[in-house]
Amino acid sequence: MKKTITLMLAACMAVLAPACAKEEQATQPETQAETTVATTETTAAKIDPKQAWMGKWDATDTDENFEIYEVTDTGIKVYYNHFTEGSIELFEYDMEFDNEEHTICSEIGDADDNGGWEYTFILGDGEITVKSKFPDQLFKKS
């Protein structure tokens, strides 16, 4: 009798174990995806936008570059080496944040105040997109 019960339990284990393993594998990618999203959200929440702006940035397609040397609660200060009349010149800009997340900023005032120009910087993950009268330009952190 004990031998019969032992054989029946062994047979049940042999049938149920692979089914449990398949179910665990099926739910595992979903769990990993949820963990990745939660980790990304947590990391993003921990990154201080002020620190993300700071530093030197190089254009991906030209020799232009800029350095954001000050970030406050209201905006940034930047030294910008950009093309003007065929050569690169250094300009200094005070820019103000355009959104509560501090990921978009533009020159103080509007395009009319800036001689028809207005630069807008959009902070991404390790990159800044610069919008102006010219086509958008991408800058990567140096």
Side-chain angles (χ1 to χ4, degrees):
M1 180 78 168
K2 286 184 183 179
K3 201 174 198 180
T4 305
I5 293 173
T6 303
L7 286 172
M8 286 177 57
L9 285 172
C12 287
M13 294 285 281
V15 170
L16 292 176
C20 290
K22 284 182 184 175
E23 182 178 322
E24 185 177 321
Q25 284 178 342
T27 60
Q28 188 175 4
E30 182 178 320
T31 304
Q32 286 175 342
E34 290 171 1
T35 301
T36 302
V37 169
T39 302
T40 303
E41 288 173 356
T42 303
T43 303
K46 289 181 182 178
I47 295 173
D48 181 4
K50 289 181 184 180
Q51 293 304 314
W53 284 102
M54 291 290 290
K56 294 183 179 183
W57 300 82
D58 296 315
T60 58
D61 295 334
T62 69
D63 291 332
E64 293 186 350
N65 62 75
F66 56 83
E67 179 180 1
I68 297 173
Y69 64 90
E70 185 177 334
V71 182
T72 67
D73 289 336
T74 57
I76 67 172
K77 293 188 180 211
V78 58
Y79 294 121
Y80 191 173
N81 292 296
H82 61 83
F83 282 107
T84 299
E85 299 178 11
S87 64
I88 290 190
E89 293 186 33
L90 175 64
F91 293 86
E92 185 175 10
Y93 296 105
D94 289 328
M95 303 180 83
E96 60 190 351
F97 290 118
D98 296 338
N99 64 355
E100 290 181 19
E101 296 78 24
H102 293 177
T103 57
I104 302 173
C105 65
S106 58
E107 289 182 79
I108 294 173
D110 61 21
D112 291 334
D113 295 334
N114 299 306
W117 286 90
E118 183 173 86
Y119 286 102
T120 299
F121 289 15
I122 302 169
L123 179 65
D125 185 21
E127 62 188 31
I128 291 178
T129 301
V130 175
K131 295 181 168 287
S132 69
K133 284 197 284 190
F134 291 121
D136 294 352
Q137 193 168 6
L138 186 64
F139 288 77
K140 298 277 186 176
K141 204 160 200 176
S142 301

